[in-house]
Amino acid sequence: MRIEGISGTSAGAMNAAVLADGYTDGGPEGARAALEHFWRRVSEAALLSPLRRGPLDIVLGHWTLDNSPLYVTMDLASRLFSPYDLGVFASNPLRDILATSIDVDRLRATPIKVFVTATNVRTGRGHLFRNAEITPDVLLASGCLPTLFQAVEIDGDPYWDGGYSGNPTITPLVRECSASDTILVQINPVERPGTPRSARDILNRLNEISFNTPLLKELRMIALLREAMHSRQAKGALWARMRIHRIASQMMTDLGVSSKLNAEWPFLCMLRDEGRRCAEEFIATHGADLGKRSTFDLDELLEGT
């Protein structure tokens, strides 16, 4: 069993490109090493950043930055000023790290198809970049949050985070890959208990809903097409044969929004280990289903329609 294609957006796009590049250079171990090296460099670049956890959060073992004076100030400033008001201070420190972490020529030659989505600001539509088109700027565009960074210009068009239009885009995995199993690694919680009451929590939930909507629409479309194909007894239809699986963690619901800006190495290692735990749990529970049946019930998305 091997990975034929990866579709990623934002940090997922960076992971996809780094993984594929590392895989081409050294197989599965090369992919793991490349990901480890990339995120360690991200963490090291943040060592001198004043955007860190406060003493109280460290003592209590919280990974949030909610009590960091700089984070609170930055959060308020982002609602009053745009990155264009900040000028040079809006530059993205990831640019140099990405430029030296991936080999674009090797990425073109990798056997893994990589699909990266970014949102075209002018048209409002998602744009899909494939291996031969992927550059550090494309990856930055896919993760460009408009309240933090200026839009990334590619071929004369400005781009923002791909999460607004495809998070991630599933269609190319169906149309351009022969594999019939798609494993969705879900980071943004679809459901969150309770009603957000603070301005920060309300904005975070709005972003989660906005980022999840394109994915849910695509999954619902797959469910509808598969239902139609089955009802017509169509054989070999692309959508009908696709098997969907999902790996998710409750921890992502428990973490606060400010933790997204936490680049401490112990925190990144904790996220890595949690991801591995969830993947191992999925394999133990559903490994035998791969190649046979879906383990994510798409029919739930059709309820009430």
Side-chain angles (χ1 to χ4, degrees), residues 46-291:
L47 283 176
L48 300 179
S49 170
L51 195 62
R52 306 183 67 81
R53 285 186 297 163
L56 180 62
D57 290 318
I58 294 176
V59 171
L60 295 176
H62 296 162
W63 294 109
T64 177
L65 301 178
D66 289 349
N67 295 310
S68 164
L70 181 62
Y71 173 76
V72 174
T73 302
M74 188 184 74
D75 184 48
L76 292 173
S78 67
R79 305 178 196 189
L80 298 173
F81 304 100
S82 86
Y84 296 89
D85 297 323
L86 301 177
V88 296
F89 296 103
S91 61
N92 195 325
L94 280 173
R95 176 173 275 105
D96 290 339
I97 297 176
L98 285 168
T100 54
S101 294
I102 61 171
D103 185 322
V104 293
D105 292 326
R106 193 161 54 211
L107 193 58
R108 294 188 181 101
T110 180
I112 298 176
K113 297 176 182 177
V114 180
F115 307 100
V116 171
T117 303
T119 302
N120 188 306
V121 180
R122 179 178 58 81
T123 66
R125 295 194 296 268
H127 184 98
L128 196 65
F129 296 90
R130 294 168 175 79
N131 293 60
E133 305 167 293
I134 296 174
T135 63
D137 275 349
V138 166
L139 298 174
L140 287 177
S142 182
C144 178
L145 293 173
T147 57
L148 293 180
F149 302 106
Q150 296 180 12
V152 178
E153 189 170 299
I154 300 173
D155 295 332
D157 272 333
Y159 287 89
W160 283 341
D161 196 297
Y164 297 110
S165 53
N167 195 32
T169 303
I170 296 180
T171 303
L173 296 177
V174 179
R175 291 180 172 174
E176 302 181 34
C177 296
S178 59
S180 296
D181 287 88
T182 294
I183 300 177
L184 173 65
V185 180
Q186 193 156 9
I187 304 300
N188 284 323
V190 174
E191 296 185 6
R192 185 178 287 277
T195 303
R197 298 188 181 277
S198 71
R200 183 185 301 160
D201 288 342
I202 290 172
L203 182 61
N204 178 53
R205 188 56 184 149
L206 282 171
N207 283 333
E208 285 179 344
I209 293 171
S210 298
F211 277 24
N212 281 324
T213 296
L215 171 64
L216 293 175
K217 283 185 175 180
E218 268 199 299
L219 290 174
R220 184 172 178 273
M221 178 188 69
I222 292 174
L224 286 169
L225 289 172
R226 191 167 65 179
E227 184 179 65
M229 294 298 175
H230 285 161
S231 66
R232 296 172 186 172
Q233 297 182 341
K235 302 297 183 180
L238 291 176
W239 302 98
R241 67 174 173 79
M242 181 54 63
R243 295 180 289 267
I244 307 293
H245 314 274
R246 181 177 67 165
I247 296 176
S249 170
Q250 176 61 36
M251 180 184 291
M252 304 312 295
T253 303
D254 299 335
L255 290 172
V257 58
S258 63
S259 66
K260 295 178 180 180
L261 296 178
N262 188 346
E264 295 178 48
W265 184 242
F267 178 57
L268 297 180
C269 288
M270 185 270 290
L271 292 177
R272 177 201 62 199
D273 294 342
E274 173 65 7
R276 288 178 176 174
R277 185 193 69 78
C278 291
E280 290 169 357
E281 184 179 86
F282 170 82
I283 292 172
T285 306
H286 298 297
D289 295 314
L290 293 172

